[in-house]
Amino acid sequence: MRNPERLEAYLHSLEPDPSPLLCELERYAREHRIPIVRRETAAFLKTLVALKAPREILEIGTAIGYSALRMCQALGADGHLTTIEKWEKRIPQARENFRRAGELHRITLLEGDAAQVLRTLAGPYDFIFLDAAKGQYLALLPELERLTAPGGVLVTDNIFQEGTVLESRYAVRRRDRTIHARLREYLYQLKHRPQWETALVPVGDGVAVSVRKTGTSEGQP
Ligand SMILES: C[S@@+](CC[C@H](N)C(=O)[O-])C[C@H]1O[C@@H](n2cnc3c(N)ncnc32)[C@H](O)[C@@H]1O
């Protein structure tokens, strides 16, 4: 693509405004520098949810509930979404936003660190959206693999880390090298483990779409 900035601006301009509540959440997130999914990523997520028609969605990284509410827009009437958040400040905000959206009945908000919470879940989930601390993705992968139903989809956001993941280790600031190495290893595992069929998609800050293949054995990444 000759001009990626123009493409991004054009794609963004095509996105219709969501509901007044979601617009308010976008403004709040902007003003308080809360990193929620971009509109293009939300549209991509909603399309994947519409395509997959999951009964059970699991989200890791709720923040104020924006992406959860976006996915609910494409979720069928009998669908349910579980979302995990560890930051105490965000939990009541997300719950209040779910209430305002009239979605409390089909969203379960689990409080705590995903590294612990995931172990308590039985699953399986047919759709998982991973949008938490990027440095933890690799460590979470075995639990995510266990929790994704055969044929289920794992969507991982921000895989390009504002472009730094494309750079060599030495071009990255020293303090970012661990997260850089872990994210690269995470993507390598998703592309090379036989359990997953993965496409890396340059939408927003990069999204990995991985399908849990059927008939492949379990195991530690
Ligand atoms: C990028 S924000 C999520 C944005 C949200 N998905 C959206 O687009 O509306 C990441 C959130 O994940 C939470 N988080 C990070 N690591 C986590 C972990 N290990 N367990 C649970 N939540 C975590 C952070 O507190 C933060 O609120």
Side-chain angles (χ1 to χ4, degrees), residues 132-145:
K134 318 305 163 207
Q136 293 178 352
Y137 286 2
L138 185 62
L140 297 179
L141 189 53
E143 284 298 326
L144 296 172
E145 200 164 285

Side-chain angles (χ1 to χ4, degrees), residues 83-125:
T83 181
I84 307 173
E85 176 56 55
K86 72 171 182 185
W87 194 6
E88 285 142 23
K89 181 175 175 184
R90 295 281 173 250
I91 292 162
Q93 292 179 313
R95 190 163 287 121
E96 174 60 8
N97 290 330
F98 296 154
R99 188 196 64 74
R100 290 178 68 199
E103 293 287 9
L104 268 182
H105 63 292
R106 56 181 192 159
I107 299 181
T108 303
L109 176 52
L110 300 177
E111 307 177 17
D113 193 314
Q116 273 88 52
V117 176
L118 287 178
R119 285 191 215 130
T120 69
L121 302 177
Y125 295 89

Side-chain angles (χ1 to χ4, degrees), residues 34-38 59-68 84-87 90 112-115 129 131-134 136 140 157-158:
I34 301 167
I36 61 171
V37 289
R38 302 176 193 182
E59 176 184 64
I60 300 119
T62 320
I64 56 173
Y66 178 80
S67 54
I84 307 173
E85 176 56 55
K86 72 171 182 185
W87 194 6
R90 295 281 173 250
D113 193 314
F129 178 48
D131 190 22
K134 318 305 163 207
Q136 293 178 352
L140 297 179
D157 195 21
N158 300 114

Side-chain angles (χ1 to χ4, degrees), residues 4-34:
E5 285 80 23
R6 269 196 77 183
L7 176 67
E8 195 179 319
Y10 174 67
L11 295 183
H12 191 84
S13 74
L14 280 180
E15 287 300 328
D17 284 340
S19 68
L21 173 63
L22 287 165
C23 286
E24 183 189 317
L25 298 195
E26 289 176 348
R27 272 195 307 277
Y28 183 87
R30 228 177 2 256
E31 283 161 17
H32 295 82
R33 302 173 70 86
I34 301 167

